[in-house]
Amino acid sequence: MKITSAKFIKGIVEDDALLSDGTPQIAFIGRSNVGKSSLINVLTNSSISRTSSSPGSTQQINIFSINDSVYFVDLPGYGFARASGIGRQKIGDLIDSYLFHATYNQKKVVLIIDANVGMTDKDLSMFQELENHQKNFVIALSKIDKMTQSEFHKKIHEVKNMVGDHNVIPFSSKKRTGIDNLVNEIFN
Ligand code: GTP
Ligand code: MG
């Protein structure tokens, strides 16, 4: 699928009827600062999602309409200890209820892992929860422009070992590498 239009619809901090309107949803989840919002901007060839060099920038669930037929759901990051705004506990609950306690039309979840850091304990528990709930998800390794070839091979091997049969797609929003692969995976 080619993305031809992308619009910000709304940001929510609790359940919202919009999420239950039947539109298929693709959600982006990962540690704070891992590059979720940057990826949405690259995928949509726009700057509709706010990014920041300090973690904890997305504090709500931001919903974008893609081609007037799919929602991209930009979730707040997990694992940021000093979350201000609505607060860390509430952010955790918001992510949890979106992903695991609702009956939305979730088509795919994109779990983003920082390739330079590898899978942290929090990433691993998110991965396991997605598996336990039998979610349709893909693992994307971000910021590969920041590493050497040998670091890249080592990390990708490490992550693949941890996730079994799941597809792992390396990408860089900065250099726009791996984006086509990710689009194919997301919409297939
Ligand atoms: P939260 O909303 O806080 O959870 O963060 P996020 O996951 O949405 O991250 P965001 O897209 O705001 O990016 C965080 C920082 O990483 C920013 O400074 C981005 O410029 C940087 N960044 C994102 N993607 C890349 C990438 O592919 N390469 C490099 N080098 N930096 C990146
Ligand atoms: Mg963000």
Side-chain angles (χ1 to χ4, degrees), residues 152-165:
F152 171 75
H153 287 298
K154 189 165 162 252
K155 278 291 178 200
I156 202 164
H157 187 69
E158 229 173 75
V159 173
K160 278 188 170 163
N161 271 341
M162 292 171 96
V163 303
D165 290 341

Side-chain angles (χ1 to χ4, degrees), residues 32-38 51-52 56-58 77 143 145 173-174:
S32 198
N33 213 43
V34 74
K36 299 176 290 296
S37 299
S38 301
T51 65
S52 164
S57 102
T58 307
K143 306 192 188 183
D145 58 278
S173 296
K174 192 173 174 187

Side-chain angles (χ1 to χ4, degrees), residues 30-39 49-59 74-78 112 142-146 171-175:
R31 274 175 43 247
S32 198
N33 213 43
V34 74
K36 299 176 290 296
S37 299
S38 301
L39 175 60
S49 188
R50 196 180 310 138
T51 65
S52 164
S53 56
S54 43
S57 102
T58 307
Q59 295 255 328
D74 188 10
L75 294 162
Y78 53 79
I112 306 176
S142 68
K143 306 192 188 183
I144 58 166
D145 58 278
K146 284 173 73 178
F171 77 100
S172 160
S173 296
K174 192 173 174 187
K175 295 273 165 72

